[in-house]
Amino acid sequence: MAWQLVFTEQYNRRAARFLRLHQDAIGQYAKTLKLLQANPHHPSLRLRALKGKLAGLHSVSINLSCRITLEMLITESEIVPINVGDHDEVY
């Protein structure tokens, strides 16, 4: 089952800024989005539920230092990316 990625304008702005600052991660970012759409539970994404002030959101890894936080609407098979950045920016 393929999941649908739903991008908001706010996320697109954050992603554009992230990619300008982390040009070395462009390929990894694109690969992460493709894998997320195909199978958000793939082990290499290291999907995890967040706690505390980000409870209700999940995160996936782009690489060892960069993450994407997301809202997963499981009943609708939709994934809404919320934020992208390095560990400190996202959390």
Side-chain angles (χ1 to χ4, degrees), residues 7 26 38 43 53 57 74 83-84:
F7 298 101
I26 292 173
K53 68 179 184 175
L57 298 179
I74 296 171
N83 198 1
V84 60

Side-chain angles (χ1 to χ4, degrees), residues 17-89:
R17 179 177 176 270
F18 168 78
L19 293 172
R20 271 195 315 273
L21 296 174
H22 301 276
Q23 292 185 7
D24 57 322
I26 292 173
Q28 293 171 317
Y29 174 77
K31 181 180 174 183
T32 299
L33 291 180
K34 285 180 185 178
L35 190 53
L36 185 60
Q37 189 170 14
N39 178 10
H41 301 286
H42 191 281
S44 68
L45 291 173
R46 296 185 293 280
L47 175 72
R48 68 181 189 113
L50 301 177
K51 299 178 183 175
K53 68 179 184 175
L54 297 176
L57 298 179
H58 293 76
S59 74
V60 294
S61 294
I62 296 173
N63 57 34
L64 292 176
S65 62
C66 298
R67 310 280 186 274
I68 299 175
T69 56
L70 11 123
E71 180 179 5
M72 293 181 66
L73 305 174
I74 296 171
T75 58
E76 310 257 339
S77 299
E78 292 181 343
I79 299 173
V80 181
I82 303 295
N83 198 1
V84 60
D86 66 29
H87 190 273
D88 293 335
E89 292 172 330

